[in-house]
Amino acid sequence: MKLHHSLRHAAGFTLIEILVVIAIMITLAGIAGTAIYSHMGAGDEAKCRAQLEQLIQIGTKYSQDIAHAGILPTSGMEDDEDTETINESDGWWYSIAPELDSVVYPSIKGGKMKVSAIFHCPADERTDIGADSVFAADERSVSYVSWTDASDDPENPNSPIRITAKQNLDNLPWLSDGNPVKGKSVTDVETFSEMVLPAAERHGGKILVAYASGMVKAIEVGEEDFNAPKLFKKFAPDMARKAEAEGRSTSKGKKGKKRRKASRDDDDE
């Protein structure tokens, strides 16, 4: 009788053993889930990079057209009055989408142009867009924002990028991950914070940037380094230096005006 009881006890599991097995299974499931998620994230990043490379090719084709030679379009540029149903100033995509065979023009002014999924990052969860679908392009469905240094028109901060031999195009962003705002491009730290930084979560703390030279970079945006001016300089060092120089010159100009006014007052006395 004692032997039978001993055999039955040996054939079973204690509560502690069962809990240990369950803990091991949960741990393995977590590791597997993390690996799958990381793989999916890496896939989204690779696809997003490929899309930006395609958009650069389309932008290059646009810039080689005699009608707008040497410029890369931006949100906020002047509207082309020859295109009756679209307003190019609303979003950069209105300018280059017509280079695609898949584009569908709006029937009325102010309507949404339908474009292919290359304008939407697969990791952008603001709007659900199918991988092979044609969708209505707007500020929530398009996943990329345009940048500009106002090289085409210094009076319009949102003017297109005019490509010249003097520019370092490797330091001049044209498109990046972001949340577009109607009629606005990234021109300074404020617009960078508004439109680009919210997209940092898409690729695990990285933001993809397509430069005017055709290069695409993944720039790390760590929580410990989440300083907008510092990051802006990391993305666009030449634009940051230009902004700083203009700030200094403006400051000097104001001081100069005060000095000239004080001098005139002294002369009047």
Side-chain angles (χ1 to χ4, degrees):
M1 195 69 182
K2 289 183 179 180
L3 178 63
H4 177 72
H5 175 76
S6 179
L7 287 173
R8 188 175 62 180
H9 180 74
F13 295 97
T14 66
L15 178 61
I16 293 175
E17 289 171 335
I18 292 172
L19 291 175
V20 169
V21 171
I22 291 173
I24 292 171
M25 291 175 66
I26 291 172
T27 301
L28 290 174
I31 293 171
T34 301
I36 292 170
Y37 179 81
S38 298
H39 177 72
M40 290 173 62
D44 286 344
E45 182 181 334
K47 187 168 184 179
C48 183
R49 179 184 290 271
Q51 291 178 178
L52 281 170
E53 289 171 350
Q54 283 182 271
L55 292 171
I56 287 174
Q57 292 176 7
I58 301 169
T60 300
K61 183 179 177 183
Y62 174 94
S63 70
Q64 292 171 345
D65 190 306
I66 194 169
H68 24 70
I71 69 168
L72 291 171
T74 56
S75 299
M77 61 189 283
E78 289 186 12
D79 179 34
D80 183 354
E81 295 181 359
D82 293 333
T83 53
E84 295 182 358
T85 61
I86 59 175
N87 186 342
E88 286 83 0
S89 68
D90 287 348
W92 60 271
W93 53 91
Y94 283 105
S95 299
I96 69 167
E99 303 287 344
L100 295 168
D101 294 333
S102 58
V103 65
V104 179
Y105 284 85
S107 58
I108 58 171
K109 188 75 172 179
K112 295 179 182 178
M113 176 182 281
K114 291 187 177 181
V115 298
S116 71
I118 66 167
F119 290 83
H120 179 82
C121 170
D124 183 0
E125 298 180 349
R126 295 176 304 147
T127 307
D128 185 20
I129 303 293
D132 301 314
S133 65
V134 174
F135 64 93
D138 59 24
E139 292 76 27
R140 286 194 59 80
S141 59
V142 174
S143 304
Y144 308 111
V145 298
S146 59
W147 294 57
T148 181
D149 62 348
S151 55
D152 187 62
D153 179 8
E155 298 299 318
N156 176 13
N158 293 298
S159 68
I161 294 173
R162 181 166 293 280
I163 300 171
T164 68
K166 295 179 181 179
Q167 291 166 300
N168 183 352
L169 300 182
D170 284 343
N171 284 342
L172 182 57
W174 174 46
L175 298 177
S176 76
D177 284 319
N179 300 342
V181 174
K182 185 176 180 179
K184 187 186 287 190
S185 291
V186 179
T187 58
D188 51 24
V189 175
E190 184 178 346
T191 49
F192 170 73
S193 301
E194 178 186 9
M195 294 190 283
V196 179
L197 288 184
E201 60 188 20
R202 291 180 194 167
H203 304 300
K206 283 184 276 187
I207 293 175
L208 298 184
V209 192
Y211 288 83
S213 63
M215 174 179 61
V216 177
K217 291 172 63 177
I219 296 181
E220 292 279 355
V221 181
E223 290 184 7
E224 72 284 351
D225 193 33
F226 215 73
N227 177 284
K230 187 175 179 180
L231 285 170
F232 180 72
K233 188 176 291 186
K234 189 175 181 180
F235 278 77
D238 290 348
M239 287 174 64
R241 280 193 291 270
K242 181 180 177 183
E244 288 174 359
E246 288 175 351
R248 286 195 297 272
S249 63
T250 301
S251 175
K252 289 179 181 178
K254 287 179 179 177
K255 289 179 181 177
K257 287 179 182 178
K258 289 180 179 179
R259 282 196 295 269
R260 287 193 294 273
K261 184 179 183 298
S263 178
R264 284 196 301 269
D265 292 342
D266 292 340
D267 291 340
D268 291 340
E269 292 175 0

